[in-house]
Amino acid sequence: MSKSRCPWCGTDPSYRTYHDREWGLPVRDERTLFEQLCLEGQQAGLSWLTVLRKRERYRSQFHNFEFEAVARMPDRSLEMRLRDAGLIRNRLKIFAIRNNGRALRKLHDSGNTLTSLLWRFVDGQPIQHHFVHQSDVTSRNQQSDAMSHALKQSGFSFCGTTICYALMQATGLVNDHLVSCYRHAQLVKN
């Protein structure tokens, strides 16, 4: 018997694996949150599947999203990545990754972490939604609005409210699996 999944993941095997193993699972690891924030920014105007298929290339080209190494990347290194067909060749998006590394370094220098910054918007616990239809799922909420504002104030880029909401969904700050999806109940228990 097949498992009932959220309809957005369709039948693509990599999308299903991402849905089943990652999407909505609460993440508190600093490096993983930084990676996801950067990749959500790469998605702007594109499908997540496009970014997902390029994720390994991003990891290899951006020091596995170790923010200190990313923050030190010189312009010439980023210019080279603009010629890499394995990446989304958008100047603003590529340079935003380094900018976000620098913003995270400043955040750490001030005694804060990305983990604590993001999770404060949900009081440290995932928001458990109980959506029945995909059309019930929103693309932003008050928390993503506030998160976007705080990230921008901290110097991050490509972090609008829709991107922040996608980040919240992906990293389990909200459980937006439909109630009919087998992952919903698993993540409520988490």
Side-chain angles (χ1 to χ4, degrees), residues 44-152:
L46 303 169
S47 76
W48 177 248
L49 186 55
T50 299
V51 176
L52 187 60
R53 289 178 175 155
K54 295 176 180 285
R55 182 167 64 173
E56 287 306 317
R57 187 69 179 161
Y58 273 95
R59 286 174 175 162
S60 72
Q61 293 300 303
F62 288 94
H63 308 286
N64 200 35
F65 290 96
E66 296 296 336
F67 78 90
E68 287 286 2
V70 169
R72 290 190 302 268
M73 292 176 76
D75 285 355
R76 69 182 182 285
S77 178
L78 297 176
E79 294 289 345
M80 286 174 33
R81 279 151 179 82
L82 285 170
R83 296 188 296 270
D84 186 334
L87 303 174
I88 296 162
R89 294 178 286 182
N90 176 300
R91 175 178 291 288
L92 294 175
K93 290 179 179 183
I94 293 292
F95 276 76
I97 294 173
R98 180 185 64 188
N99 179 70
N100 288 345
R102 290 176 175 176
L104 184 51
R105 184 171 57 199
K106 285 181 188 172
L107 194 65
H108 278 220
D109 290 347
S110 73
N112 206 346
T113 66
L114 186 59
T115 302
S116 63
L117 175 68
L118 297 179
W119 280 93
R120 80 175 190 207
F121 293 102
V122 295
D123 295 326
Q125 294 298 316
I127 296 171
Q128 299 296 333
H129 288 143
H130 299 280
F131 297 127
V132 175
H133 306 286
Q134 194 63 47
S135 60
D136 298 334
V137 181
T138 62
S139 61
R140 63 184 281 197
N141 63 11
Q142 290 178 335
Q143 291 87 353
S144 69
D145 291 347
M147 180 185 292
S148 173
H149 179 75
L151 286 168
K152 288 176 183 176

Side-chain angles (χ1 to χ4, degrees), residues 153-170:
Q153 291 291 106
S154 296
F156 290 87
S157 48
F158 275 89
C159 56
T161 188
T162 303
I163 289 171
C164 285
Y165 195 76
L167 174 68
M168 292 174 72
Q169 291 174 308

Side-chain angles (χ1 to χ4, degrees), residues 179-190:
V179 292
S180 59
C181 175
Y182 83 98
R183 288 292 285 154
H184 184 272
Q186 290 176 349
L187 292 174
V188 167
K189 294 176 188 175
N190 227 348

